[in-house]
Amino acid sequence: MSMIRFILSLAFICATVTHAQNPQLTSWFTENSGKYARIYASTADETAGTKSTTWTRGTTTQALPTYSGVTEINYSANWVYIRTTGLASYTMGPWPANFPSFPTNTATVYRIPRVPVIPTTKTGTGLGATGRMVNGVAIYDSRDAFSYSTANAADARPNTAFVGDGIWNRDGDHNEGPTFD
């Protein structure tokens, strides 16, 4: 009986040591994942130190408080899975009054290969998130959705009748910088 306990204990220790030494599993920032995500809804709120755990603006609503950051890490032999709200643990905002929306809980699970393979055929990143920071917040590339259309001799804008050529895009940092958190 004690030999079985010894073998099980040894297996547990080996699994724990393997997990503890694997940066794919231990590099995620989870220290503040038990905190609710908070925002400053306005500059006046920031000045007053008034933080909100629920909010609404435009088409986005965070009706209930939600946790911030990476809330769960799981793995298999081939994959690492992270569950994240996509919201930072620091107080986010404020954003300009004309900014159409606030962030909300994305409640997403990401699957990341444990042994990445570099593809032989390369493709562009496209719009949207291109990665995740260690706290689960999205990383975007430097473009925005405005692309020049040669045929129309104008910048195409999202939700317009024509699309851009996708060759030239505006610099997102320069044009959208005030909306970045």
Side-chain angles (χ1 to χ4, degrees), residues 92-142:
M92 300 170 284
W95 294 272
N98 63 346
F99 189 59
S101 60
F102 286 154
T104 57
N105 178 1
T106 60
T108 307
V109 175
Y110 290 95
R111 183 177 79 160
I112 302 164
R114 296 208 51 192
V115 181
V117 176
I118 298 173
T120 55
T121 303
K122 310 296 189 249
T123 58
T125 58
L127 298 174
T130 58
R132 290 283 152 184
M133 293 188 224
V134 294
N135 67 352
V137 174
I139 297 172
Y140 294 88
D141 68 14
S142 63

Short mmCIF file of all heavy atoms in Angstrom, two decimals, residues 92-142:
data_model
loop_
_atom_site.label_atom_id
_atom_site.label_comp_id
_atom_site.label_asym_id
_atom_site.label_seq_id
_atom_site.Cartn_x
_atom_site.Cartn_y
_atom_site.Cartn_z
N MET A 92 -9.26 50.62 -16.43
CA MET A 92 -9.16 51.01 -17.84
C MET A 92 -9.87 52.35 -18.07
O MET A 92 -10.77 52.71 -17.34
CB MET A 92 -9.80 49.92 -18.71
CG MET A 92 -9.12 48.57 -18.57
SD MET A 92 -10.05 47.23 -19.37
CE MET A 92 -11.39 46.99 -18.20
N GLY A 93 -9.45 53.05 -19.13
CA GLY A 93 -10.10 54.30 -19.50
C GLY A 93 -9.47 55.48 -18.81
O GLY A 93 -8.44 55.35 -18.15
N PRO A 94 -10.05 56.65 -18.96
CA PRO A 94 -11.26 56.94 -19.73
C PRO A 94 -10.97 57.05 -21.23
O PRO A 94 -9.82 57.17 -21.64
CB PRO A 94 -11.70 58.28 -19.17
CG PRO A 94 -10.44 58.96 -18.78
CD PRO A 94 -9.52 57.85 -18.31
N TRP A 95 -12.04 57.05 -22.01
CA TRP A 95 -11.93 57.20 -23.45
C TRP A 95 -12.60 58.51 -23.86
O TRP A 95 -13.40 59.07 -23.11
CB TRP A 95 -12.62 56.03 -24.15
CG TRP A 95 -11.92 54.74 -23.88
CD1 TRP A 95 -10.90 54.20 -24.60
CD2 TRP A 95 -12.16 53.82 -22.82
NE1 TRP A 95 -10.49 53.01 -24.05
CE2 TRP A 95 -11.24 52.75 -22.95
CE3 TRP A 95 -13.06 53.79 -21.75
CZ2 TRP A 95 -11.21 51.68 -22.08
CZ3 TRP A 95 -13.02 52.71 -20.88
CH2 TRP A 95 -12.10 51.67 -21.05
N PRO A 96 -12.27 59.01 -25.06
CA PRO A 96 -12.91 60.25 -25.52
C PRO A 96 -14.43 60.12 -25.54
O PRO A 96 -14.97 59.03 -25.77
CB PRO A 96 -12.37 60.43 -26.94
CG PRO A 96 -11.11 59.63 -26.98
CD PRO A 96 -11.32 58.48 -26.04
N ALA A 97 -15.12 61.25 -25.31
CA ALA A 97 -16.59 61.24 -25.26
C ALA A 97 -17.22 60.74 -26.56
O ALA A 97 -18.29 60.15 -26.55
CB ALA A 97 -17.11 62.63 -24.92
N ASN A 98 -16.52 60.94 -27.69
CA ASN A 98 -17.09 60.52 -28.97
C ASN A 98 -16.74 59.07 -29.33
O ASN A 98 -17.11 58.58 -30.39
CB ASN A 98 -16.65 61.45 -30.09
CG ASN A 98 -15.14 61.43 -30.32
OD1 ASN A 98 -14.39 60.93 -29.50
ND2 ASN A 98 -14.71 62.01 -31.43
N PHE A 99 -16.02 58.37 -28.47
CA PHE A 99 -15.66 56.98 -28.72
C PHE A 99 -16.93 56.14 -28.59
O PHE A 99 -17.63 56.24 -27.58
CB PHE A 99 -14.58 56.52 -27.75
CG PHE A 99 -14.01 55.17 -28.07
CD1 PHE A 99 -13.40 54.93 -29.29
CD2 PHE A 99 -14.08 54.14 -27.16
CE1 PHE A 99 -12.86 53.69 -29.59
CE2 PHE A 99 -13.54 52.90 -27.45
CZ PHE A 99 -12.93 52.68 -28.67
N PRO A 100 -17.24 55.29 -29.57
CA PRO A 100 -18.56 54.67 -29.60
C PRO A 100 -18.82 53.53 -28.63
O PRO A 100 -19.97 53.16 -28.42
CB PRO A 100 -18.67 54.15 -31.04
CG PRO A 100 -17.26 53.92 -31.46
CD PRO A 100 -16.46 54.99 -30.76
N SER A 101 -17.80 52.95 -28.01
CA SER A 101 -18.08 51.80 -27.15
C SER A 101 -17.00 51.61 -26.09
O SER A 101 -15.89 52.10 -26.22
CB SER A 101 -18.20 50.54 -28.00
OG SER A 101 -16.99 50.30 -28.69
N PHE A 102 -17.38 50.89 -25.04
CA PHE A 102 -16.46 50.49 -23.99
C PHE A 102 -16.11 49.01 -24.20
O PHE A 102 -16.84 48.29 -24.88
CB PHE A 102 -17.09 50.67 -22.62
CG PHE A 102 -17.21 52.09 -22.13
CD1 PHE A 102 -18.19 52.43 -21.22
CD2 PHE A 102 -16.35 53.08 -22.55
CE1 PHE A 102 -18.30 53.72 -20.75
CE2 PHE A 102 -16.45 54.38 -22.09
CZ PHE A 102 -17.44 54.69 -21.18
N PRO A 103 -15.05 48.52 -23.57
CA PRO A 103 -14.73 47.09 -23.68
C PRO A 103 -15.74 46.25 -22.89
O PRO A 103 -16.39 46.74 -21.97
CB PRO A 103 -13.34 47.00 -23.06
CG PRO A 103 -13.29 48.13 -22.09
CD PRO A 103 -14.11 49.24 -22.71
N THR A 104 -15.87 45.00 -23.26
CA THR A 104 -16.73 44.07 -22.52
C THR A 104 -16.04 42.71 -22.41
O THR A 104 -15.09 42.42 -23.13
CB THR A 104 -18.09 43.87 -23.21
OG1 THR A 104 -17.89 43.42 -24.54
CG2 THR A 104 -18.91 45.15 -23.22
N ASN A 105 -16.56 41.90 -21.54
CA ASN A 105 -16.05 40.55 -21.30
C ASN A 105 -16.21 39.72 -22.59
O ASN A 105 -17.32 39.53 -23.08
CB ASN A 105 -16.85 39.91 -20.16
CG ASN A 105 -16.45 38.50 -19.87
OD1 ASN A 105 -15.56 37.92 -20.48
ND2 ASN A 105 -17.12 37.90 -18.90
N THR A 106 -15.10 39.23 -23.12
CA THR A 106 -15.16 38.40 -24.33
C THR A 106 -15.39 36.93 -24.00
O THR A 106 -15.75 36.16 -24.88
CB THR A 106 -13.87 38.52 -25.16
OG1 THR A 106 -12.76 38.09 -24.36
CG2 THR A 106 -13.66 39.93 -25.66
N ALA A 107 -15.18 36.54 -22.74
CA ALA A 107 -15.41 35.16 -22.29
C ALA A 107 -14.89 34.16 -23.32
O ALA A 107 -15.63 33.34 -23.85
CB ALA A 107 -16.88 34.93 -21.99
N THR A 108 -13.60 34.22 -23.60
CA THR A 108 -13.01 33.44 -24.68
C THR A 108 -12.02 32.41 -24.15
O THR A 108 -11.30 32.67 -23.20
CB THR A 108 -12.28 34.40 -25.66
OG1 THR A 108 -13.18 35.42 -26.05
CG2 THR A 108 -11.80 33.67 -26.88
N VAL A 109 -11.98 31.27 -24.81
CA VAL A 109 -10.95 30.27 -24.56
C VAL A 109 -10.06 30.22 -25.80
O VAL A 109 -10.57 30.04 -26.91
CB VAL A 109 -11.54 28.87 -24.28
CG1 VAL A 109 -10.43 27.84 -24.14
CG2 VAL A 109 -12.42 28.90 -23.05
N TYR A 110 -8.77 30.42 -25.60
CA TYR A 110 -7.81 30.36 -26.70
C TYR A 110 -7.04 29.06 -26.63
O TYR A 110 -6.64 28.63 -25.55
CB TYR A 110 -6.86 31.55 -26.66
CG TYR A 110 -7.55 32.82 -27.01
CD1 TYR A 110 -8.07 33.66 -26.03
CD2 TYR A 110 -7.74 33.17 -28.34
CE1 TYR A 110 -8.74 34.81 -26.36
CE2 TYR A 110 -8.41 34.32 -28.68
CZ TYR A 110 -8.92 35.14 -27.69
OH TYR A 110 -9.59 36.27 -28.02
N ARG A 111 -6.82 28.46 -27.78
CA ARG A 111 -6.05 27.22 -27.89
C ARG A 111 -4.74 27.55 -28.59
O ARG A 111 -4.73 28.03 -29.72
CB ARG A 111 -6.85 26.20 -28.68
CG ARG A 111 -6.17 24.85 -28.78
CD ARG A 111 -7.04 23.88 -29.49
NE ARG A 111 -6.94 24.13 -30.93
CZ ARG A 111 -7.24 23.25 -31.86
NH1 ARG A 111 -7.72 22.07 -31.53
NH2 ARG A 111 -7.10 23.56 -33.13
N ILE A 112 -3.65 27.29 -27.92
CA ILE A 112 -2.32 27.65 -28.42
C ILE A 112 -1.49 26.37 -28.53
O ILE A 112 -1.42 25.59 -27.56
CB ILE A 112 -1.63 28.64 -27.45
CG1 ILE A 112 -2.52 29.89 -27.29
CG2 ILE A 112 -0.24 29.00 -27.94
CD1 ILE A 112 -2.15 30.75 -26.12
N PRO A 113 -0.86 26.13 -29.68
CA PRO A 113 -0.08 24.89 -29.81
C PRO A 113 1.13 24.88 -28.89
O PRO A 113 1.81 25.89 -28.73
CB PRO A 113 0.34 24.89 -31.28
CG PRO A 113 0.25 26.31 -31.72
CD PRO A 113 -0.81 26.95 -30.88
N ARG A 114 1.39 23.74 -28.30
CA ARG A 114 2.56 23.60 -27.42
C ARG A 114 3.84 23.51 -28.22
O ARG A 114 4.90 23.86 -27.75
CB ARG A 114 2.41 22.38 -26.53
CG ARG A 114 1.21 22.59 -25.61
CD ARG A 114 1.21 21.95 -24.32
NE ARG A 114 2.35 22.10 -23.47
CZ ARG A 114 2.52 21.37 -22.40
NH1 ARG A 114 1.64 20.44 -22.08
NH2 ARG A 114 3.56 21.53 -21.64
N VAL A 115 3.73 23.01 -29.46
CA VAL A 115 4.88 22.94 -30.36
C VAL A 115 4.47 23.67 -31.65
O VAL A 115 3.93 23.07 -32.56
CB VAL A 115 5.29 21.48 -30.66
CG1 VAL A 115 6.50 21.45 -31.58
CG2 VAL A 115 5.55 20.72 -29.38
N PRO A 116 4.71 24.98 -31.70
CA PRO A 116 4.31 25.74 -32.88
C PRO A 116 5.07 25.30 -34.13
O PRO A 116 6.23 24.89 -34.05
CB PRO A 116 4.66 27.18 -32.54
CG PRO A 116 5.04 27.20 -31.10
CD PRO A 116 5.33 25.80 -30.69
N VAL A 117 4.39 25.38 -35.26
CA VAL A 117 4.99 25.05 -36.54
C VAL A 117 4.90 26.29 -37.43
O VAL A 117 3.84 26.88 -37.57
CB VAL A 117 4.25 23.87 -37.21
CG1 VAL A 117 4.82 23.58 -38.59
CG2 VAL A 117 4.32 22.64 -36.32
N ILE A 118 6.02 26.69 -38.00
CA ILE A 118 6.02 27.84 -38.89
C ILE A 118 5.45 27.41 -40.23
O ILE A 118 5.98 26.48 -40.86
CB ILE A 118 7.44 28.41 -39.06
CG1 ILE A 118 7.96 28.88 -37.70
CG2 ILE A 118 7.46 29.53 -40.08
CD1 ILE A 118 9.42 29.30 -37.69
N PRO A 119 4.37 28.04 -40.68
CA PRO A 119 3.76 27.62 -41.94
C PRO A 119 4.65 27.96 -43.14
O PRO A 119 5.37 28.97 -43.12
CB PRO A 119 2.45 28.40 -41.99
CG PRO A 119 2.66 29.56 -41.10
CD PRO A 119 3.65 29.14 -40.06
N THR A 120 4.60 27.15 -44.16
CA THR A 120 5.39 27.41 -45.36
C THR A 120 4.75 28.52 -46.19
O THR A 120 5.44 29.30 -46.83
CB THR A 120 5.55 26.15 -46.23
OG1 THR A 120 4.26 25.63 -46.52
CG2 THR A 120 6.37 25.11 -45.50
N THR A 121 3.42 28.62 -46.17
CA THR A 121 2.70 29.68 -46.87
C THR A 121 2.32 30.74 -45.84
O THR A 121 1.66 30.44 -44.85
CB THR A 121 1.43 29.12 -47.54
OG1 THR A 121 1.81 28.07 -48.42
CG2 THR A 121 0.71 30.21 -48.30
N LYS A 122 2.73 31.96 -46.08
CA LYS A 122 2.46 33.06 -45.16
C LYS A 122 1.20 33.80 -45.59
O LYS A 122 0.93 33.95 -46.78
CB LYS A 122 3.63 34.05 -45.12
CG LYS A 122 5.00 33.41 -44.92
CD LYS A 122 5.13 32.74 -43.58
CE LYS A 122 6.55 32.31 -43.32
NZ LYS A 122 6.83 30.95 -43.31
N THR A 123 0.43 34.27 -44.61
CA THR A 123 -0.75 35.08 -44.87
C THR A 123 -0.72 36.30 -43.97
O THR A 123 -0.13 36.27 -42.88
CB THR A 123 -2.04 34.29 -44.59
OG1 THR A 123 -2.03 33.85 -43.24
CG2 THR A 123 -2.19 33.10 -45.52
N GLY A 124 -1.37 37.36 -44.41
CA GLY A 124 -1.45 38.58 -43.60
C GLY A 124 -2.32 38.35 -42.37
O GLY A 124 -3.12 37.41 -42.33
N THR A 125 -2.17 39.20 -41.39
CA THR A 125 -2.91 39.03 -40.14
C THR A 125 -4.37 39.41 -40.27
O THR A 125 -5.18 38.93 -39.50
CB THR A 125 -2.29 39.86 -39.01
OG1 THR A 125 -2.28 41.23 -39.38
CG2 THR A 125 -0.90 39.37 -38.67
N GLY A 126 -4.73 40.29 -41.17
CA GLY A 126 -6.11 40.75 -41.22
C GLY A 126 -6.40 41.70 -40.07
O GLY A 126 -5.53 42.02 -39.27
N LEU A 127 -7.63 42.16 -40.00
CA LEU A 127 -8.02 43.06 -38.92
C LEU A 127 -8.44 42.25 -37.71
O LEU A 127 -8.72 41.07 -37.79
CB LEU A 127 -9.15 43.98 -39.40
CG LEU A 127 -8.77 44.89 -40.58
CD1 LEU A 127 -9.99 45.64 -41.07
CD2 LEU A 127 -7.67 45.85 -40.17
N GLY A 128 -8.52 42.89 -36.58
CA GLY A 128 -8.88 42.21 -35.35
C GLY A 128 -7.65 41.85 -34.55
O GLY A 128 -6.52 42.19 -34.90
N ALA A 129 -7.86 41.15 -33.46
CA ALA A 129 -6.76 40.78 -32.56
C ALA A 129 -5.78 39.85 -33.28
O ALA A 129 -6.19 38.96 -34.01
CB ALA A 129 -7.32 40.10 -31.32
N THR A 130 -4.50 40.10 -33.06
CA THR A 130 -3.46 39.27 -33.67
C THR A 130 -2.70 38.45 -32.62
O THR A 130 -1.83 37.67 -32.96
CB THR A 130 -2.44 40.14 -34.44
OG1 THR A 130 -1.86 41.08 -33.53
CG2 THR A 130 -3.10 40.86 -35.59
N GLY A 131 -3.04 38.64 -31.36
CA GLY A 131 -2.37 37.90 -30.30
C GLY A 131 -2.96 38.28 -28.95
O GLY A 131 -3.91 39.05 -28.87
N ARG A 132 -2.37 37.73 -27.89
CA ARG A 132 -2.79 38.00 -26.52
C ARG A 132 -1.58 38.34 -25.68
O ARG A 132 -0.54 37.70 -25.78
CB ARG A 132 -3.47 36.78 -25.90
CG ARG A 132 -4.81 36.48 -26.48
CD ARG A 132 -5.85 37.42 -25.97
NE ARG A 132 -6.92 37.56 -26.94
CZ ARG A 132 -7.93 38.38 -26.80
NH1 ARG A 132 -8.05 39.12 -25.72
NH2 ARG A 132 -8.84 38.48 -27.74
N MET A 133 -1.73 39.35 -24.84
CA MET A 133 -0.68 39.64 -23.85
C MET A 133 -0.80 38.62 -22.73
O MET A 133 -1.78 37.89 -22.65
CB MET A 133 -0.87 41.06 -23.31
CG MET A 133 -0.61 42.12 -24.37
SD MET A 133 -0.63 43.74 -23.62
CE MET A 133 -1.60 44.62 -24.83
N VAL A 134 0.17 38.58 -21.84
CA VAL A 134 0.16 37.58 -20.78
C VAL A 134 -0.99 37.78 -19.79
O VAL A 134 -1.32 36.88 -19.03
CB VAL A 134 1.50 37.51 -20.02
CG1 VAL A 134 2.60 37.00 -20.92
CG2 VAL A 134 1.85 38.83 -19.37
N ASN A 135 -1.65 38.95 -19.82
CA ASN A 135 -2.81 39.17 -18.96
C ASN A 135 -4.12 38.87 -19.69
O ASN A 135 -5.20 39.12 -19.16
CB ASN A 135 -2.82 40.58 -18.37
CG ASN A 135 -3.02 41.66 -19.42
OD1 ASN A 135 -3.02 41.41 -20.62
ND2 ASN A 135 -3.19 42.89 -18.96
N GLY A 136 -4.04 38.36 -20.92
CA GLY A 136 -5.24 37.98 -21.67
C GLY A 136 -5.83 39.08 -22.51
O GLY A 136 -6.82 38.86 -23.23
N VAL A 137 -5.28 40.27 -22.47
CA VAL A 137 -5.78 41.40 -23.25
C VAL A 137 -5.27 41.29 -24.69
O VAL A 137 -4.15 40.87 -24.93
CB VAL A 137 -5.37 42.74 -22.60
CG1 VAL A 137 -5.76 43.93 -23.46
CG2 VAL A 137 -5.99 42.86 -21.22
N ALA A 138 -6.11 41.67 -25.64
CA ALA A 138 -5.79 41.53 -27.06
C ALA A 138 -4.64 42.43 -27.49
O ALA A 138 -4.45 43.53 -26.97
CB ALA A 138 -7.02 41.87 -27.90
N ILE A 139 -3.88 41.94 -28.46
CA ILE A 139 -2.84 42.71 -29.15
C ILE A 139 -3.33 42.91 -30.58
O ILE A 139 -3.83 41.97 -31.21
CB ILE A 139 -1.50 41.94 -29.20
CG1 ILE A 139 -0.96 41.70 -27.80
CG2 ILE A 139 -0.48 42.68 -30.07
CD1 ILE A 139 0.24 40.78 -27.77
N TYR A 140 -3.19 44.12 -31.08
CA TYR A 140 -3.60 44.43 -32.45
C TYR A 140 -2.38 44.89 -33.25
O TYR A 140 -1.43 45.41 -32.68
CB TYR A 140 -4.66 45.54 -32.46
CG TYR A 140 -5.95 45.10 -31.82
CD1 TYR A 140 -6.15 45.25 -30.45
CD2 TYR A 140 -6.95 44.51 -32.57
CE1 TYR A 140 -7.33 44.83 -29.86
CE2 TYR A 140 -8.13 44.10 -31.99
CZ TYR A 140 -8.32 44.26 -30.63
OH TYR A 140 -9.47 43.85 -30.04
N ASP A 141 -2.46 44.74 -34.56
CA ASP A 141 -1.37 45.28 -35.37
C ASP A 141 -1.57 46.78 -35.55
O ASP A 141 -2.50 47.36 -34.98
CB ASP A 141 -1.21 44.52 -36.70
CG ASP A 141 -2.37 44.73 -37.66
OD1 ASP A 141 -3.20 45.64 -37.46
OD2 ASP A 141 -2.44 43.98 -38.64
N SER A 142 -0.73 47.42 -36.31
CA SER A 142 -0.73 48.88 -36.37
C SER A 142 -1.71 49.47 -37.38
O SER A 142 -1.81 50.68 -37.51
CB SER A 142 0.68 49.39 -36.69
OG SER A 142 1.06 48.92 -37.97
#
